[in-house]
């Protein structure tokens, strides 16, 4: 599913009837409306008719075939949907461009929940994406990420904090409390290699590429939203002639960290240009230092990568060698890679194969969980560091060489530490590498003439639905 601009939505649910759902919802709407937010409320309606103007409401207009909207005295909109068709109701609601949508009920909707419990309840924690428990005088069971009094002002504050002021606090935070500090942007899906392990950054069938000015606009928006790190990937980013300009612009925006991930085939020719554009940090993919093995894994020429590594070393760039480990292919060559990285004054990053966009059976055949390699490194290391902001990856320092181990598969700690969001080569925001059902069409918005504010809202919507893949 491709999400166009949709406001953040929250369902208020309870584990018991009579828990105070409606009262809480009404109170939260009142507080948010008083604070100037445009709120939409969606309510189930079993009837086909729309409600007539009452004392406190007047009919605004038909909001769609299956939903009707009422403007309430407090300035909020109430949308009544027939049956329980939340998706149509959300489509109708989005047309009013509210800041937030609050729904009553819709337990299984997949929306973030404010769940109300009371003191005798033993709630099932099967609800997906509970962001808060509103409780009456009890400590809630573990599982919710916040516990609030069952008080409209407290719940409204929580909603403002988590969903409405994301961009204004200088940093985006998702509903699991993960700050969004980095963007990994694919600049193309074209590549000059054909690596057997490549996951194509999780892209299935991209529809074209972004133009330079579109890339620059997204970078500026990201910077405005508090993103601090930017990494360009692909496909092969060095195939883009405008890469130098994109890097220069990124540096001018003041990102703390601007990086590129490359296969290194074109690095020697472009090293100086990229350095002069401001690039100081580069990741080079290198699955083997044996020319024959390198060619059979990638289809490319090892000599070109080695020349490229030498060019960036001479320039003084910070280099990280990325090696995906595959059982029976390169898992016995780790010592050689360590020595190679040390000779080249690079860091080494050993990466677990992820099961994404691979040929059928490839993962089962070649995946290894890196535990043996990590054991070997931990025995040889003089020190071990955990990188908090980078998926809690471990870095082993072996005879002065930092070796980072990246083990994402089935690893909730990795997802819990994820601070990055992705932009696909065709300009969609991709909240999680592993999922392609949640894509937010940023480029579509740009091409349709959206304002910066609208595009930022889309960013925030993408952040609001982020959830850990492994938990
Ligand atoms: N062409 C560039 C390159 O080769 O580095 C950039 C694109 S490549 C998709 C970016 C990075 O994705 C690689 O360095 C590698 O670390 C990672 N990668 C690719 N396929 C992977 C897989 N199946 N599992 C884990 N990481 C993978």
């Amino acid at each position: 599913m491709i999400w166009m601009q949709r406001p953040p939505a929250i369902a208020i649910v309870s584990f018991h009837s009579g828990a105070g759902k409606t009262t809480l919802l009404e109170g939260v709407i009142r507080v948010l409306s008083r604070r100037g937010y445009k709120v939409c409320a969606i309510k189930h309606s079993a009837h086909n008719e729309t409600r007539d103007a009452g004392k406190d409401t007047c009919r605004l207009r038909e909001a769609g075939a299956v939903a009707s909207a009422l403007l309430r005295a407090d300035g909020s909109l109430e949308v009544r949907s027939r049956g329980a068709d939340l998706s149509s109701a959300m489509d109708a609601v989005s047309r009013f461009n509210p800041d937030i949508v609050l729904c009553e009920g819709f337990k299984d909707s997949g929306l973030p929940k404010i769940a109300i419990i009371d003191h005798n309840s033993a709630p099932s924690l099967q609800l997906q994406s509970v962001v808060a428990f509103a409780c009456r005088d009890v400590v809630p069971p573990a599982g919710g990420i916040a516990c609030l009094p069952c008080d409209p002002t407290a719940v409204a504050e929580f909603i403002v904090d988590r969903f409405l002021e994301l961009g204004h606090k200088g940093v985006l935070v998702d509903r699991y409390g993960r700050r969004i500090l980095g963007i990994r942007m694919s600049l193309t899906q074209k590549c000059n290699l054909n690596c057997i392990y490549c996951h194509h950054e999780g892209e299935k069938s991209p529809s074209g590429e972004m133009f330079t000015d579109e890339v620059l606009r997204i970078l500026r928006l990201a910077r405005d939203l508090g993103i601090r790190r930017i990494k360009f990937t692909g496909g092969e980013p060095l195939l883009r002639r405008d890469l130098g300009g994109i890097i220069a612009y990124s540096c001018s925006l003041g990102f703390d960290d601007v990086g590129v991930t490359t296969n290194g085939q074109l690095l020697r020719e472009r090293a100086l240009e990229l350095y002069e554009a401001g690039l100081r940090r580069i990741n080079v993919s290198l699955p083997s230092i044996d020319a024959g093995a390198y060619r059979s894994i990638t289809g490319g020429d090892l000599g070109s990568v080695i020349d490229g590594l030498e060019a960036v070393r001479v320039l003084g760039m910070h280099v990280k060698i990325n090696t995906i480990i595959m059982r029976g292919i390169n898992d016995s060559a780790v010592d050689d890679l360590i020595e190679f990285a040390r000779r080249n004054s690079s860091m080494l990053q050993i990466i677990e194969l992820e099961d994404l966009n691979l040929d059928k059976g490839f993962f089962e055949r070649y995946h290894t969980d890196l535990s043996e390699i990590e054991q070997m490194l931990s025995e040889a290391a003089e020190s071990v560091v955990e990188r908090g902001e980078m998926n809690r990856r471990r870095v082993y320092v072996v005879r002065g060489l930092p070796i980072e181990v990246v083990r994402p598969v089935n690893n909730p700690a990795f997802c819990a530490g994820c601070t990055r969001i992705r932009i696909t080569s065709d300009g969609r925001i991709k909240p999680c590498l592993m999922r392609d059902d949640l894509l937010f069409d940023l480029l579509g918005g740009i091409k349709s003439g959206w304002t910066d504010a609208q595009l930022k809202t889309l960013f925030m919507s993408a952040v609001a639905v982020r959830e850990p893949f492994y938990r």
Side-chain angles (χ1 to χ4, degrees):
M1 174 169 58
I2 295 169
W3 285 54
M4 288 302 289
Q5 189 188 20
R6 273 198 170 180
I10 294 172
I12 298 195
V13 299
S14 58
F15 296 94
H16 292 284
S17 57
K21 222 166 43 207
T22 308
T23 315
L24 184 66
L25 178 85
E26 295 291 329
V28 172
I29 291 172
R30 247 193 328 274
V31 177
L32 290 176
S33 299
R34 265 205 308 266
R35 287 188 57 174
Y37 291 104
K38 191 167 162 196
V39 185
C40 256
I42 299 182
K43 298 195 169 188
H44 288 277
S45 171
H47 308 292
N48 283 353
E49 78 275 13
T50 54
R51 203 167 68 178
D52 282 335
K55 273 194 195 131
D56 60 342
T57 61
C58 65
R59 186 188 295 255
L60 181 68
R61 65 176 159 113
E62 287 297 308
V66 293
S68 63
L70 298 145
L71 179 65
R72 298 153 42 117
D74 58 17
S76 68
L77 279 164
E78 179 181 319
V79 171
R80 298 212 147 217
S81 67
R82 283 182 206 152
D85 185 358
L86 178 63
S87 176
S88 315
M90 281 294 290
D91 285 343
V93 155
S94 296
R95 273 181 261 157
F96 294 104
N97 206 14
D99 296 307
I100 181 98
V101 180
L102 297 174
C103 310
E104 190 178 339
F106 296 103
K107 247 191 193 137
D108 304 316
S109 62
L111 298 175
K113 313 285 190 300
I114 302 277
I116 308 170
I117 63 172
D118 62 31
H119 44 275
N120 293 320
S121 67
S124 132
L125 293 182
Q126 297 309 310
L127 280 178
Q128 291 296 304
S129 57
V130 173
V131 294
F133 287 107
C135 301
R136 300 207 175 107
D137 38 85
V138 283
V139 177
I145 63 161
C147 173
L148 310 165
C150 200
D151 157 43
T153 307
V155 172
E157 285 298 335
F158 175 85
I159 290 172
V160 169
D161 195 48
R162 280 293 159 94
F163 293 93
L164 296 171
E165 288 191 353
L166 287 170
H168 310 294
K169 290 196 301 192
V171 64
L172 297 165
V173 183
D174 71 15
R175 62 182 197 266
Y176 293 84
R178 299 177 299 177
R179 290 178 301 160
I180 314 303
L181 302 172
I183 281 191
R184 192 170 172 100
M185 180 185 272
S186 266
L187 289 173
T188 181
Q189 271 307 323
K190 295 193 191 96
C191 194
N192 45 1
L193 293 185
N194 190 16
C195 302
I196 53 174
Y197 55 78
C198 187
H199 60 26
H200 304 279
E201 300 288 352
E203 291 189 36
K204 287 248 154 40
S205 42
S207 55
E209 274 176 18
M210 295 175 276
F211 289 113
T212 314
D213 58 333
E214 294 163 341
V215 170
L216 303 189
R217 179 141 182 229
I218 293 173
L219 291 170
R220 186 172 51 71
L221 291 169
R223 191 69 196 98
D224 284 356
L225 286 166
I227 300 292
R228 297 190 205 149
R229 295 195 282 260
I230 183 91
K231 169 77 63 67
F232 297 106
T233 179
E236 175 48 40
L238 269 61
L239 287 175
R240 282 215 38 162
R241 298 304 322 160
D242 55 359
L243 183 62
I246 291 172
I247 288 169
Y249 184 72
S250 307
C251 295
S252 76
L253 288 173
F255 286 107
D256 297 346
D257 190 0
V258 177
V260 169
T261 297
T262 174
N263 59 34
Q265 293 289 311
L266 300 172
L267 193 52
R268 189 169 63 93
E269 294 94 289
R270 300 205 62 187
L272 183 59
E273 174 208 344
L274 299 182
Y275 181 83
E276 287 178 344
L279 189 69
R280 295 292 178 270
R281 199 175 266 285
I282 194 153
N283 287 40
V284 180
S285 295
L286 187 61
S288 175
I289 52 156
D290 174 90
Y294 181 85
R295 184 169 290 283
S296 64
I297 296 169
T298 67
D301 170 40
L302 179 66
S304 307
V305 192
I306 292 177
D307 289 350
L309 283 167
E310 178 58 13
V312 289
R313 191 189 64 77
V314 168
L315 288 166
M317 271 198 217
H318 182 281
V319 181
K320 204 186 263 185
I321 292 173
N322 284 354
T323 303
I324 308 287
I325 299 291
M326 290 163 285
R327 179 154 43 102
I329 295 185
N330 62 356
D331 56 342
S332 57
V334 173
D335 284 343
D336 296 344
L337 278 155
I338 292 176
E339 278 322 306
F340 178 84
R342 183 175 286 114
R343 275 201 310 276
N344 280 274
S345 322
S346 309
M347 268 187 83
L348 179 62
Q349 185 161 245
I350 289 176
I351 304 172
E352 181 179 12
L353 180 71
E354 288 175 286
D355 190 10
L356 192 65
N357 282 343
L358 297 177
D359 289 344
K360 199 168 171 339
F362 187 93
F363 181 79
E364 288 69 24
R365 191 148 173 216
Y366 296 115
H367 173 256
T368 160
D369 73 1
L370 305 186
S371 50
E372 279 179 28
I373 291 175
E374 197 159 7
Q375 179 63 31
M376 179 269 281
L377 292 175
S378 75
E379 283 163 16
E382 54 259 20
S383 64
V384 184
V385 185
E386 197 166 276
R387 296 185 65 189
E389 282 185 356
M390 289 294 286
N391 309 82
R392 311 206 173 124
R393 300 169 183 188
R394 290 239 169 100
V395 183
Y396 296 88
V397 183
V398 178
R399 280 178 281 129
L401 176 77
I403 305 169
E404 204 164 324
V405 180
V406 184
R407 296 176 69 177
V409 180
N410 290 321
N411 185 353
F414 185 87
C415 291
C418 176
T419 56
R420 64 160 62 134
I421 200 161
R422 289 158 185 275
I423 305 287
T424 63
S425 59
D426 57 358
R428 300 168 201 215
I429 308 171
K430 187 169 167 46
C432 174
L433 168 69
M434 301 300 286
R435 288 181 58 173
D436 56 10
D437 59 335
L438 284 179
L439 294 169
F440 292 74
D441 192 2
L442 194 59
L443 187 59
I446 292 176
K447 289 194 186 297
S448 310
W450 286 8
T451 62
D452 281 1
Q454 286 173 308
L455 296 168
K456 284 181 192 171
T457 304
L458 192 69
F459 250 110
M460 289 185 240
S461 305
V463 170
V465 302
R466 256 168 65 89
E467 53 187 15
F469 188 74
Y470 299 112
R471 30 181 155 158

